Amino acid sequence: MIRTIQLLRYLTDAQMRRRVTAATNKVEAFNGFSEWVRFGNRGVITDNDPVEQEKAVKFNALLTNCLIFHNTLDIAQAVRELQAEGWKVDPQDLAAAS
C-alpha cells in the first residue's frame, strides 16, 4: 500500500518527478565518474574476500570524493581570482558550474 501511494504521488506530482530525476542524474554522474577513476585491473575486483572487496569499493568512493572536493576548491579559487580582478560573478553561473 505504501509503495502504491508513493507511486501515485510520483505520477501526479510534476515537481516531485523533477526532484527525483535530478537526484537520479546526480547519482548516475557520480557513478560514472567513480567508474572513470577506478584503476588497477580495470576496476575489476579480483579478491574473493568480502572484507577486501568492501575496502576496494570504499577506497574508490573515497578517492572519487577527494577528487570532487579538490575540483571544488580549484573552482572556488578561480572564482576568487576573477572577483579580485573585478569580474562580477553571477550566483546562477556558479550554480550551473556546480
Side-chain angles (χ1 to χ4, degrees):
M1 187 169 96
I2 293 172
R3 291 175 99 185
T4 302
I5 291 170
Q6 186 65 19
L7 180 59
L8 290 172
R9 282 185 186 149
Y10 177 82
L11 292 173
T12 59
D13 188 345
Q15 185 177 1
M16 177 187 232
R17 286 194 307 274
R18 282 191 294 276
R19 284 193 319 266
V20 168
T21 299
T24 302
N25 289 341
K26 285 180 185 179
V27 170
E28 289 301 321
F30 178 87
N31 289 338
F33 182 62
S34 182
E35 185 175 321
W36 179 81
V37 168
R38 284 189 194 119
F39 59 93
N41 293 333
R42 297 182 187 171
V44 175
I45 299 173
T46 57
D47 201 319
N48 287 330
D49 181 4
V51 173
E52 293 302 316
Q53 291 174 350
E54 185 177 7
K55 280 184 195 176
V57 170
K58 289 191 179 203
F59 289 156
N60 181 256
L62 177 62
L63 178 59
T64 302
N65 282 316
C66 287
L67 290 170
I68 291 170
F69 181 66
H70 189 278
N71 193 40
T72 302
L73 293 176
D74 287 345
I75 291 171
Q77 180 62 33
V79 168
R80 282 192 295 274
E81 289 173 6
L82 286 171
Q83 288 174 326
E85 293 173 7
W87 290 87
K88 183 179 181 296
V89 178
D90 187 349
Q92 289 181 338
D93 292 337
L94 289 178
S98 67

